[in-house]
Amino acid sequence: MAAAEEAVSAADGTTKPLFAGLADVSISEDIPVEGEITVPVGSHSPEEDYSTLDEPVKDTIMRDLKAVGKKFVHVMYPKKSSALLRDWDLWGPLILCVLLALMLQGRAADSTEDRGPQFAEVFVIVWFGAVVITLNSKLLGGTISFFQSLCVLGYCILPLTVALLVCRLVLLVKANTAGFVVRLLVVMAMFGWSTLASTAFLADSQPPNRKALVVYPIFLFYFVISWMILTFAP
Amino acid sequence: LPFSAAAKRRPASSPSESPRLFEDTSSPSVPAALLADPVSSLAAAYGSSLASQGKEIVGRSIDRFVPVTRLKYYFAVDTVYVGKKLALLLFPFLHQDWQVRFQQNSPVAPRFDINAPDLYIPVMAFITYVLVAGLALGTQNRFSPDLLGLQASSALAWLIVEVLIVLLSLYLVTVNADLSAVDLVAFSGYKYVGMIVGLLAGLLFGKTGYYLLLSWCCVAIFVFMIRTLRLKILAEAAAEGPLGRSGRNQLRMYLTVAVAGLQPLLMYWLTFHLVY
């Protein structure tokens, strides 16, 4: 403090830097210089909640799982909600794709006759098909972004995954013509549901004279997946 | 903090902007005062400017290989155009006027003129052809999913070879036609429609149905290509009048007939092994 007062009082002549003599300041031993320095933290402002590094991992996982589950519900009952579009995520499509690829493993992979798709083939078909549909929709002048469209197409595979589960159960019970008819009906119904659900989201972004042009590749895409499910034989 | 907000939302109206394929148009607004700390906000602004620079570089390198703005012209179609064009591809005999209408030195979008080439029908026809081929193989118990990829890549390879051959011959004959490579890809892709019709007939009605419908589609695509290419390649000869029979014009006529004749050959080559 003395040094500061010195610098302030020497304002008439030479310019001395403030606190120049602080190095010379020494504190005698008997003055207690200890305590806690705390910065007063105000109430939690909403900006500080964006840092999610400090929360327990269970919270993060539960939040993502809840988001994925909510989107599943939106797909099964396609109302005019924009939750699927607004916060897109690719976790759901990944889970569904992995489930589909795992359950479509049929005969031994190296048999040369009529075998089912390999794990990687299902992945390639699903993601390459989704990318082609998205590019087509964007080139036709759609207003939906790339990842939003991928998200919608991936989530709408859910009805077909349910159909695959039902088919596997039916094949466990009986494998004759009646079983085939049941499987055909179930797969056709779920195929229609998938196509309707995804067109409800994707075709809205196009003017009405182009809706059919966007629906056709989606129809082809789910047709291929339904075909793979229908011809599945363990 | 206006600096960070401006860097985050760069307006995309400049003509040299990267193609807006990968932009995220989902969230309409971003919370403004995201970080209260000036250093973090500077870092965020720097990061977002780096990201947009990276996006521009990617956009420019994509633009060098695939002219995205030019591609959008070929996808400016609507359902009515697609329906009429498919009918024209299967029955071109009665159509009279094959000239593409122009508007201030640039051709009109396919939506407004049925004679303009587009890329939607070729791309969708190609994909449908691969799937129908897979179906045909499946009914003969010869199917496995990697055959789908095999069919797709071999058909794509034939398409590229055909377009390169036509480009080469156009260059050798020194024809100044306004046929770009993308136009040629579009014209070569139109034969897939006939191939799909032939394959479906083969699936439903056996070999006789396949041969009948395939020959019809071959004749149709031959007439279609002759009438379309004649206007482009023989444009100067048409301007001279019907008596302009120089050696160059004959060469161009042969070239047009050769390109049109290549289509039925390829249609047969790519489908006959799928029908039993």
Side-chain angles (χ1 to χ4, degrees), chain B residues 58-117:
Chain B
V58 168
R60 247 183 286 130
S61 42
I62 291 184
D63 218 22
R64 224 181 315 147
F65 293 116
V66 171
V68 178
T69 39
R70 193 76 196 114
L71 265 188
K72 280 207 163 196
Y73 162 78
Y74 291 98
F75 278 88
V77 296
D78 61 353
T79 329
V80 174
Y81 168 84
V82 168
K84 281 204 229 162
K85 189 85 179 199
L86 286 176
L88 188 67
L89 280 169
L90 294 174
F91 197 81
F93 309 110
L94 296 179
H95 190 71
Q96 297 299 330
D97 177 26
W98 292 83
Q99 178 65 262
V100 179
R101 263 176 280 150
F102 273 71
Q103 187 194 16
Q104 296 163 359
N105 267 351
S106 68
V108 157
R111 213 178 320 162
F112 304 118
D113 182 16
I114 195 179
N115 295 318

Side-chain angles (χ1 to χ4, degrees), chain A residues 50, chain B residues 8-9 27-34:
Chain A
Y50 278 90
Chain B
K8 273 196 183 90
R9 254 170 300 164
S27 44
S29 66
V30 175
L34 192 53

Side-chain angles (χ1 to χ4, degrees), chain B residues 49-267:
Chain B
S49 80
L50 263 184
S52 50
Q53 267 179 33
K55 225 193 292 191
E56 257 188 58
I57 293 178
V58 168
R60 247 183 286 130
S61 42
I62 291 184
D63 218 22
R64 224 181 315 147
F65 293 116
V66 171
V68 178
T69 39
R70 193 76 196 114
L71 265 188
K72 280 207 163 196
Y73 162 78
Y74 291 98
F75 278 88
V77 296
D78 61 353
T79 329
V80 174
Y81 168 84
V82 168
K84 281 204 229 162
K85 189 85 179 199
L86 286 176
L88 188 67
L89 280 169
L90 294 174
F91 197 81
F93 309 110
L94 296 179
H95 190 71
Q96 297 299 330
D97 177 26
W98 292 83
Q99 178 65 262
V100 179
R101 263 176 280 150
F102 273 71
Q103 187 194 16
Q104 296 163 359
N105 267 351
S106 68
V108 157
R111 213 178 320 162
F112 304 118
D113 182 16
I114 195 179
N115 295 318
D118 75 306
L119 273 181
Y120 176 82
I121 293 181
V123 169
M124 289 301 137
F126 181 80
I127 298 178
T128 316
Y129 157 74
V130 171
L131 294 178
V132 173
L135 220 96
L137 287 174
T139 52
Q140 302 158 27
N141 288 333
R142 280 194 295 156
F143 178 73
S144 69
D146 52 348
L147 275 185
L148 269 183
L150 204 65
Q151 285 285 330
S153 48
S154 79
L156 194 66
W158 278 109
L159 185 80
I160 294 179
V161 162
E162 179 193 347
V163 169
L164 284 178
I165 289 181
V166 174
L167 272 176
L168 182 68
S169 31
L170 280 177
Y171 171 73
L172 286 177
V173 178
T174 59
V175 170
N176 291 330
D178 56 348
L179 273 178
S180 63
V182 189
D183 279 335
L184 282 176
V185 170
F187 287 135
S188 306
Y190 280 143
K191 62 173 170 300
Y192 285 101
V193 179
M195 283 157 70
I196 294 169
V197 171
L199 275 179
L200 285 175
L203 278 177
L204 292 173
F205 305 119
K207 264 207 142 159
T208 38
Y210 164 69
Y211 278 123
L212 269 177
L213 276 179
L214 193 72
S215 8
W216 172 270
C217 294
C218 286
V219 171
I221 199 80
F222 185 73
V223 169
F224 177 86
M225 290 295 282
I226 291 246
R227 291 207 181 149
T228 312
L229 288 178
R230 187 179 58 174
L231 282 174
K232 302 222 168 203
I233 298 184
L234 292 171
E236 299 173 13
E240 283 172 25
L243 297 178
R245 193 185 272 271
S246 54
R248 272 179 85 207
N249 282 340
Q250 271 204 328
L251 198 55
R252 286 184 192 173
M253 214 160 45
Y254 288 147
L255 180 66
T256 315
V257 174
V259 169
L262 196 57
Q263 312 291 319
L265 277 178
L266 280 174
M267 279 169 78

Side-chain angles (χ1 to χ4, degrees), chain A:
Chain A
M1 289 304 284
E5 283 163 7
E6 258 181 15
V8 165
S9 57
D12 51 345
T14 56
T15 48
K16 255 170 113 183
L18 270 178
F19 309 116
L22 254 186
D24 306 336
V25 171
S26 65
I27 301 172
S28 59
E29 294 289 322
D30 45 1
I31 303 180
V33 191
E34 61 180 83
E36 287 178 28
I37 301 182
T38 53
V39 177
V41 174
S43 58
H44 271 281
S45 45
E47 289 93 28
E48 287 178 336
D49 279 338
Y50 278 90
S51 151
T52 52
L53 273 180
D54 299 331
E55 58 179 17
V57 175
K58 185 167 77 83
D59 280 353
T60 316
I61 295 183
M62 284 314 292
R63 188 176 53 233
D64 281 336
L65 276 180
K66 272 196 220 139
V68 168
K70 198 156 63 146
K71 292 207 189 65
F72 279 162
V73 170
H74 278 300
V75 166
M76 293 310 273
Y77 302 105
K79 301 181 302 232
K80 286 282 172 171
S81 75
S82 58
L84 228 120
L85 289 182
R86 214 180 29 233
D87 354 289
W88 56 266
D89 74 274
L90 291 175
W91 280 115
L94 181 68
I95 296 176
L96 286 174
C97 196
V98 168
L99 262 181
L100 205 68
L102 279 177
M103 291 200 287
L104 276 176
Q105 296 297 300
R107 297 200 183 125
D110 44 341
S111 72
T112 44
E113 24 172 84
D114 216 17
R115 64 167 178 80
Q118 306 255 22
F119 188 87
E121 282 165 357
V122 174
F123 255 82
V124 163
I125 289 178
V126 167
W127 289 102
F128 185 69
V131 164
V132 165
I133 296 177
T134 308
L135 282 179
N136 170 60
S137 151
K138 287 217 63 113
L139 281 170
L140 278 175
T143 53
I144 238 183
S145 93
F146 187 74
F147 288 111
Q148 276 172 331
S149 173
L150 281 184
C151 164
V152 168
L153 286 167
Y155 269 105
C156 290
I157 301 182
L158 178 66
L160 285 170
T161 315
V162 169
L164 180 58
L165 276 171
V166 171
C167 281
R168 277 200 89 126
L169 286 175
V170 169
L171 278 172
L172 273 179
V173 173
K174 56 185 173 211
N176 50 6
T177 8
F180 177 72
V181 167
V182 167
R183 281 190 296 142
L184 181 68
L185 287 176
V186 167
V187 168
M188 269 173 41
M190 292 300 162
F191 161 68
W193 198 336
S194 283
T195 314
L196 279 175
S198 55
T199 38
F201 290 110
L202 288 179
D204 268 351
S205 63
Q206 300 278 355
N209 61 343
R210 277 188 235 148
K211 281 212 209 296
L213 299 183
V214 172
V215 170
Y216 177 66
I218 300 180
F219 168 83
L220 280 183
F221 177 62
Y222 289 124
F223 182 77
V224 167
I225 301 184
S226 321
W227 187 256
M228 280 198 299
I229 292 177
L230 198 58
T231 57
F232 168 72

